């Protein structure tokens, strides 16, 4: 059986590499959320991320940019504290299509919601990325 720290580090490491797998087996969204609810989030963050996480208010607004035309998903667990970053993702920032970088696309949307700090699994300061550990990340959508 893996320790709480091993589970948190594994999730965070795979999250950063964008491969959501459980180190040894495929990881479903439900299983991922269940695992994130079991562990202390400080294990998933680097020291600077933990320091910045501690500075966040108990309730904060997070944003999610997505573009359905590019396969974006409004129900994702990854959000950001920056509306500007969410707007970039809504335009397809970072998306490749037929080997070409897409930087602007119509149809993108930005969602905003207030979340409680306790519902955050990890905060990656450099990107302003917030990973929610809730089963319904759109609950409380503004």
């Amino acid at each position: 059986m893996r320790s709480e720290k091993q589970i948190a580090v594994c999730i965070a490491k795979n999250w950063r590499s964008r491969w959501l797998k459980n180190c040894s087996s495929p990881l479903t969204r439900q299983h991922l959320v269940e695992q994130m609810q079991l562990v202390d989030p400080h294990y998933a963050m680097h020291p600077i991320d933990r320091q910045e996480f501690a500075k966040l208010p108990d309730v904060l607004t997070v944003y999610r940019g997505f573009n359905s035309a590019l396969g974006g998903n409004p129900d994702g667990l990854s959000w950001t504290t920056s509306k500007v970053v969410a707007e970039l993702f809504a335009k397809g920032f970072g998306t490749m299509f037929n080997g070409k970088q897409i930087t602007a696309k119509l149809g993108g949307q930005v969602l905003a919601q207030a979340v409680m700090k306790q519902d955050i699994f990890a905060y990656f300061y450099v990107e302003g990325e917030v990973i929610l550990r809730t089963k319904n990340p759109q609950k409380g959508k503004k």
Side-chain angles (χ1 to χ4, degrees), residues 3 5 30 33 53 56 62 71 89 106 116 119 131-132 134 137:
S3 72
K5 182 176 181 178
Q30 179 180 346
V33 169
F53 179 74
L56 294 175
V62 294
F89 277 91
L106 297 176
M116 296 186 69
D119 291 329
I131 301 173
L132 300 179
T134 175

Side-chain angles (χ1 to χ4, degrees), residues 33-49:
V33 169
E34 288 170 0
Q35 293 298 305
M36 286 191 291
Q37 291 174 345
L38 295 175
V39 299
D40 187 330
H42 87 269
Y43 290 129
M45 296 180 267
H46 290 294
I48 186 70
D49 296 325

